[in-house]
Amino acid sequence: MNITEILKTKVESGQTVLTEFESKELLQEIGISVPSQKLTTSKQETITAAEEIGYPVVLKLIAEDVVHKSDTGAVKLNLKTKEEVENAYDELMKIPAQMEKKISVQKMADEPITELIIGMTTDPQFGPALMFGIGGILVELLEDVSFRIAPITEYDANEMIHEIKGFPILDGYRGKPKANIGAIVETLMKISDLVTEHENINEMDLNPVFIYEKGLVCVDARIILKEKENSN
Ligand code: ADP
Ligand code: MG
């Protein structure tokens, strides 16, 4: 299925919130890198997936009604052995959820220069608006983010990145390596193209995206679709 068909099927079935796993599959489809991931439904499958992906891995509980995963203990980071995976699996299964529970087994990404957030919201007047910021405390405390209405040009993407107050963090602050700005520009453009082409995407939240010297990887994502329009 192509992206248009996938989105249409979701909207038709009334599923407007894509799970982290589905959201990252879609990002991968448009060329945004995500840690290798497998969806499992039993302990044995989870162990096999961890061994195929290679340690260290992350386990996350994927259920439609579990949204802020770390708040409920649904993210188990840096698991290095089969025993750690088994224990993490048992703990995840204890978390209450109304909806069907699955496990996302994913590669533990290396520590980044910093975390980024890249998002999209739909403005009732102007349509899709893209958002960029440095993740964590800077975003929450200082509201250090930039916005542009989509579609954006490469020039706009560069401006979005350079105008935030935290830009020095990306530019080799205190002897840290410089972040790959080109990779961020490319990612913003890909999101811009996606939301311009697919009007049924209402919201996107890539939070966090890990940025490195060599590129970036999106470790958590959420895509929300517009509800099906009533035909009468
Ligand atoms: P939440 O639903 O709470 O936002 P996340 O999936 O963002 O859960 O996970 C919480 C945190 O765990 C992330 O902000 C990130 O720092 C870390 N994390 C999540 N997935 C990975 C991964 N695959 N590799 C490394 N760190 C990860
Ligand atoms: Mg997150």
Side-chain angles (χ1 to χ4, degrees), residues 20 24 35 58 60 67-71 75 77 106-110 115 207-208 210 219-221:
E20 177 195 317
K24 282 156 84 177
V58 176
K60 296 184 194 176
V67 177
H68 300 292
K69 297 179 297 289
S70 24
D71 294 350
V75 179
L77 297 171
Q106 44 191 265
K107 185 80 184 170
M108 174 80 189
D110 292 336
E115 297 190 356
N207 184 10
F210 281 13
V219 309
D220 183 26

Side-chain angles (χ1 to χ4, degrees), residues 33-35 58 107-116 169-172 176-185 187 208-219:
S33 153
V34 303
V58 176
K107 185 80 184 170
M108 174 80 189
D110 292 336
E111 188 154 337
I113 296 171
T114 184
E115 297 190 356
L116 308 174
I169 295 170
L170 302 174
D171 200 34
K176 281 203 184 185
K178 284 189 192 225
N180 191 319
I181 303 294
I184 309 174
V185 170
T187 303
V209 172
F210 281 13
I211 181 74
Y212 305 98
E213 210 174 345
K214 294 217 166 105
L216 58 73
V217 58
C218 173
V219 309

